[in-house]
Amino acid sequence: MTGPPPARPGAASDGRDDADVITRSLDEPELFAGLYDRHAPDIHRYAARRLGEGAADDITAETFLIAFRTRGRYDTAHRLARPWLYGIAANLIGKQRRTEVRALKALARTGHDPVAASWSDRSDDRLAVQAPLAGALASLSPGDRHVLLLVAWADLGYQEVADALRIPLGTVRSRLNRARRKVREALSTDPAFTSTPDASPAPPSGPSSQSRS
């Protein structure tokens, strides 16, 4: 498995943001490759952590195929395409939720699973093949698990998660709170999963709301 290529030098500093690339690609389809170069490594990494390296290539390729085919409907008010792409990937991963849950349950039961091996390959591995946490993740509903892992692994802000999953910001907060309560019962040492979100009022939509509350 070779995975996606690293981003081309200068791909993110060519003066075009994601919305510009998508718009121009409607007339010049080859320009869409710049979006792939910019974001495919992150999408691949996220898919690998959810489903293992074996599935990550297919998830990444299909994510960008769908994005290319539907780019004419992209809302260019969103200058960054990360939430859109992660939303597509999350939907594809959701179709394999039985595989993910089965792997998590196997890890919780035996302490070993092929999917877990892809997690422990990473130097910043947050799961560290910990069976209790795997069991907690397996017990979450698909919606709660998507929200938690988009925040913890994809490093999306709350509004970005709302945009990715096309759900209200308040739903993101409630799902994240519920997921963190369950995970906290299993493991209380990883702030990426268990830190309590800011209880301040939801920020207004717009550029300032992209940062995590």
Side-chain angles (χ1 to χ4, degrees), residues 87-109:
I88 295 172
N91 183 57
L92 294 171
I93 291 169
K95 293 178 181 179
Q96 299 190 38
R97 61 184 177 275
R98 290 182 180 178
T99 299
E100 182 179 35
V101 170
R102 185 165 58 247
L104 288 167
K105 287 182 176 179
L107 174 58
R109 183 177 64 254

Side-chain angles (χ1 to χ4, degrees), residues 154-174:
D155 200 29
L156 295 187
Y158 293 4
Q159 185 61 51
E160 289 178 313
V161 174
D163 293 340
L165 300 180
R166 299 183 181 181
I167 58 177
L169 183 59
T171 301
V172 171
R173 291 177 179 276
S174 62

Side-chain angles (χ1 to χ4, degrees), residues 24-204:
R24 293 190 61 180
S25 76
L26 296 174
D27 295 322
E28 301 175 78
E30 67 276 7
L31 294 180
F32 195 82
L35 200 73
Y36 178 90
D37 289 347
R38 199 174 296 181
H39 297 293
D42 288 339
I43 296 296
H44 187 276
R45 189 176 303 112
Y46 178 72
R49 298 191 80 178
R50 293 288 301 267
L51 297 175
E53 291 285 347
D57 285 351
D58 289 341
I59 292 292
T60 303
E62 193 169 356
T63 293
F64 282 89
L65 179 61
I66 291 172
F68 180 78
R69 289 175 173 172
T70 62
R71 70 192 189 285
R73 299 198 298 270
Y74 182 75
D75 182 359
T76 56
H78 298 283
R79 308 308 296 179
L80 298 178
R82 289 180 73 247
W84 178 54
L85 294 170
Y86 273 109
I88 295 172
N91 183 57
L92 294 171
I93 291 169
K95 293 178 181 179
Q96 299 190 38
R97 61 184 177 275
R98 290 182 180 178
T99 299
E100 182 179 35
V101 170
R102 185 165 58 247
L104 288 167
K105 287 182 176 179
L107 174 58
R109 183 177 64 254
T110 68
H112 174 75
D113 187 83
V115 171
S118 72
W119 298 336
S120 59
D121 284 344
R122 293 175 52 82
S123 61
D124 64 343
D125 173 43
R126 289 172 176 171
L127 285 183
V129 292
Q130 296 181 64
L133 181 54
L137 292 176
S139 73
L140 298 178
S141 69
D144 289 359
R145 189 162 54 249
H146 277 325
V147 168
L148 178 65
L149 297 183
L150 283 171
V151 170
W153 285 351
D155 200 29
L156 295 187
Y158 293 4
Q159 185 61 51
E160 289 178 313
V161 174
D163 293 340
L165 300 180
R166 299 183 181 181
I167 58 177
L169 183 59
T171 301
V172 171
R173 291 177 179 276
S174 62
R175 288 183 181 180
L176 189 59
N177 283 334
R178 183 167 55 242
R180 279 174 164 158
R181 280 198 301 271
K182 289 187 177 181
V183 170
R184 189 178 291 114
E185 294 174 358
L187 188 71
S188 61
T189 59
D190 191 337
F193 290 103
T194 61
S195 59
T196 303
D198 191 345
S200 60

